[in-house]
Amino acid sequence: MTTWIPLAALAVAALLPLAFALFRPRAARGRREADMALYRAQLDELDREKEAGRLDEAGHRAARIEVQRRLIAAADLAETGTTSGPASALLVALLPLIAAAGLGLYLLRGSPGMPSATFEERAAAAAREDGLLATVRQRLAALDPRSEQARQGYLLLGNAERGRGNAEAAIAAWRIAIEARFDAGLAGDIAELEIARGAPAEATPWISRALQAAPNDPRLRFLAGLVEAESGRPANARALWQALLAESPPDAPWRGLVERRLGALP
């Protein structure tokens, strides 16, 4: 029984910041602004990790590009408003219930005495995952690659491979999907992975094609500048990003990111 007392205390402690945020006099941010703050903090943390030597150049670049992708994509989110007054009080009243529900689920389904997975167990899990993805590939190979069913399958396969950090396999799957039906957003995803693995030249045709379909997409325009910067053409990157800023609203959430990248150019 004593095992659950510290667990309950930890659950309450984890929810205290939420209660504090709800009662702060400062107005709560909307979802979009909160996302922007989170992603900017992640970028700062990545820079600190690199300076401390805990992250190499390739890992730092790949991580920054992924966070920047989310930052640009978050610009499409609508404002959800703020939480105040009775709504805040209701949320605070629910905090103990949330903690109790979490603790109850853990009592029913949790295994606090279970040791962490060994290397052999993790390796076995990875092997099972490899086998599952191999089965998916076999089934997809039996389909017409231009069918919508195959396209959706290759999209999911690419997402799975990207989640595993296998950029080459993700790109290969997405290339098949995009041949079935072109999508500017997917072309941007391919370009991002190419940039992240240090191949900006491979990203260029994807961005060019995507911009033909969506010339005003801020994410694609940002990536176009990023390709130029990564290719050693800072003047071109500066021109592209300055044009993006000139045509962006004053409150565009991506302005800060673009301005920082401009300031980092040689």
Side-chain angles (χ1 to χ4, degrees):
M1 181 64 184
T2 56
T3 304
W4 308 115
I5 296 176
L7 289 176
L10 285 173
V12 173
L15 292 170
L16 283 177
L18 177 58
F20 174 75
L22 290 172
F23 280 110
R24 282 185 301 181
R26 182 167 58 89
R29 294 178 176 177
R31 177 179 176 183
R32 189 176 67 178
E33 283 72 13
D35 287 346
M36 296 304 104
L38 173 62
Y39 296 146
R40 292 188 186 105
Q42 289 176 341
L43 290 172
D44 293 340
E45 179 63 24
L46 288 172
D47 291 341
R48 288 193 292 270
E49 290 290 306
K50 180 186 175 186
E51 291 173 2
R54 293 188 291 269
L55 195 62
D56 60 20
E57 180 65 32
H60 176 260
R61 179 174 58 188
R64 280 189 65 89
I65 290 172
E66 173 62 19
V67 175
Q68 289 165 355
R69 178 187 71 81
R70 297 175 184 177
L71 184 60
I72 294 296
D76 296 331
L77 292 177
E79 187 64 32
T80 58
T82 60
T83 301
S84 60
S88 295
L90 176 60
L91 284 175
V92 172
L94 289 175
L95 290 180
L97 297 179
I98 295 172
L103 182 59
L105 287 173
Y106 191 70
L107 286 169
L108 290 173
R109 304 297 297 273
S111 301
M114 181 178 292
S116 59
T118 64
F119 173 79
E120 290 77 11
E121 290 171 335
R122 293 196 300 271
R128 288 193 298 271
E129 190 173 284
D130 288 338
L132 176 61
L133 291 180
T135 301
V136 171
R137 289 191 182 89
Q138 290 176 357
R139 293 181 179 178
L140 287 174
L143 300 174
D144 178 359
R146 294 189 173 276
S147 68
E148 184 60 25
Q149 183 181 4
R151 180 179 182 276
Q152 292 298 324
Y154 281 111
L155 281 174
L156 294 175
L157 179 60
N159 289 340
E161 292 290 6
R162 180 175 64 176
R164 303 173 76 206
N166 194 344
E168 185 175 357
I171 291 171
W174 284 342
R175 286 173 70 99
I176 298 174
I178 211 166
E179 287 298 322
R181 176 164 57 85
F182 181 78
D183 178 83
L186 182 57
D189 290 339
I190 295 174
E192 282 183 13
L193 287 188
E194 294 287 13
I195 297 170
R197 66 175 186 162
E202 299 294 330
T204 300
W206 292 109
I207 294 176
S208 298
R209 189 177 174 188
L211 282 171
Q212 290 178 2
N216 297 319
D217 188 299
R219 174 196 173 212
L220 295 174
R221 295 177 68 181
F222 172 78
L223 289 175
L226 190 58
V227 163
E228 296 299 316
E230 295 290 330
S231 301
R233 297 185 290 269
N236 292 349
R238 182 175 292 105
L240 288 169
W241 285 339
Q242 286 176 340
L244 174 57
L245 287 176
E247 299 173 23
S248 298
D251 60 346
W254 58 81
R255 291 190 70 93
L257 168 63
V258 178
E259 289 167 353
R260 284 193 296 275
R261 292 306 299 251
L262 271 171
L265 289 174

